[in-house]
Structure formats: C-alpha cells, structure tokens
C-alpha cells in the first residue's frame, strides 16, 4: 500500500489495476486511495464486487467471451446503480468464470475467445490447453462476428473446443 501511495504522488499516474484477487486488499486500496486514483479491478471473479463497491473500471479477459453481458453488467451496476439487475447478469457469467479459473486461466480465456470467433493466438509455453468445455452465456457464430452483426445474448449452453 505504501508503494501505491508513492505512485499516487507522481504526476500523470491516475489509475492502478489491482490483480491480486483479494477482495479485502481491493477494499483497502479503494478506501485508502480511491479519492486520488481510479482503481480498476483485475481479477475476473471480483468484477461484481468491485463494480458494486464503486470501482468504475474492471480489466477482465473473460469479457472477450461475452462482451454484451460485460457491458450490460457495467451499465447496470456502475451507471444505473441497479445491483439486482447486475446480480441477474452476473449469475449468467459466474459459471464461465468458474471454469476459466479452474486452471490455466490465460489458455482457457484464449480457447473460449476462439470458440466465439475471436482469434487471440496461442498461449506462450509452458501454458497450453488441448480442449476446453465451457458453459457460455453467449456464443455467436463466426459468421455473425465477421459480418459485424450485433451479437445477442442466448441461454447458457455448453460448447466444446476441438
């Protein structure tokens, strides 16, 4: 926390990303430096917590998998302050995050992104993933993504990588 305080004093530093995955530490940072710095949550499973606690930014890889739900979540909580609507959206997202967090997070996010038509390239060694089964709240076809058509939320279903 002392390092964050030192950074906050440097002209031009306006925000930080907390990727620690510790809600207590994120709370402490927000309380101590929230008036000086914009604090961004960087741990996917803490996104609902961070937004409902007043953070105005979140950096999460899983948002690549369901961008519309991520925007809906942000708008519901951070813009409108509607925690109940946010909870309903969050309940669609959590099953995916649970699978992503199981192991090899980066490889799983990349595999899931590819499943919805967003090619990210391979993970660097030693991280790799041969197959992933994810319950996705939205899974646009590659034709939909490449045509530029607006993606629509669909009921949760499981899709598998080859």
């Amino acid at each position: 926390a002392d390092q964050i305080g030192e950074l906050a004093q440097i002209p031009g530093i306006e925000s930080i990303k907390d990727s620690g995955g510790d809600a207590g530490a994120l709370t402490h940072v927000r309380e101590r430096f929230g008036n000086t710095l914009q604090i961004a949550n960087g741990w996917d499973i803490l996104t609902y917590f961070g937004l409902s606690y007043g953070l105005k930014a979140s950096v999460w890889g899983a948002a690549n998998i369901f961008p519309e739900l991520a925007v809906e979540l942000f708008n519901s909580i951070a813009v409108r302050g509607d925690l109940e609507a946010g909870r309903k959206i969050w309940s669609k997202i959590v099953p995916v995050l649970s699978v992503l967090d199981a192991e090899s997070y980066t490889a799983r996010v990349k595999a899931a992104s590819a499943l919805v038509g967003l090619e990210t390239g391979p993970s660097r060694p030693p991280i790799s993933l041969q197959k992933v089964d994810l319950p996705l709240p939205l899974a646009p076809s590659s034709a939909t993504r490449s045509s530029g058509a607006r993606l629509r939320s669909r009921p949760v279903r499981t899709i598998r990588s080859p």
Side-chain angles (χ1 to χ4, degrees):
D2 291 335
Q3 288 179 329
I4 295 171
E6 290 173 23
L7 289 171
Q9 303 305 313
I10 299 172
I13 296 184
E14 298 177 10
S15 61
I16 62 162
K17 173 185 157 193
D18 182 317
S19 297
D22 181 335
L26 183 59
T27 300
H28 177 71
V29 168
R30 162 73 166 75
E31 288 300 315
R32 188 161 173 200
F33 303 106
N35 292 331
T36 310
L37 296 169
Q38 176 176 294
I39 312 299
N41 169 57
W43 197 267
D44 291 12
I45 200 68
L46 292 181
T47 300
Y48 179 87
F49 168 79
L51 293 174
S52 65
Y53 192 57
L55 301 183
K56 298 296 183 190
S58 192
V59 180
W60 49 318
N64 290 302
I65 303 165
F66 36 75
E68 282 73 18
L69 283 178
V71 170
E72 286 180 47
L73 180 71
F74 179 84
N75 287 337
S76 293
I77 300 171
V79 176
R80 294 189 300 275
D82 188 344
L83 295 178
E84 185 56 35
R87 250 190 302 283
K88 288 177 183 175
I89 296 163
W90 188 241
S91 70
K92 296 176 186 178
I93 295 171
V94 168
V96 176
L97 299 182
S98 297
V99 173
L100 295 176
D101 281 344
E103 64 176 290
S104 301
Y105 169 83
T106 302
R108 286 175 176 253
V109 167
K110 285 176 173 268
S113 295
L115 288 172
V116 298
L118 180 64
E119 293 300 325
T120 60
S123 296
R124 292 176 289 160
I127 299 171
S128 67
L129 188 64
Q130 301 302 317
K131 183 175 180 177
V132 63
D133 293 336
L134 294 173
L136 295 179
L138 98 121
S141 69
S142 58
T144 301
R145 178 147 331 250
S146 63
S147 71
R150 183 162 164 66
L151 303 177
R152 301 185 192 282
S153 296
R154 299 184 189 149
V156 172
R157 65 189 179 110
T158 300
I159 61 177
R160 292 173 170 69
S161 66

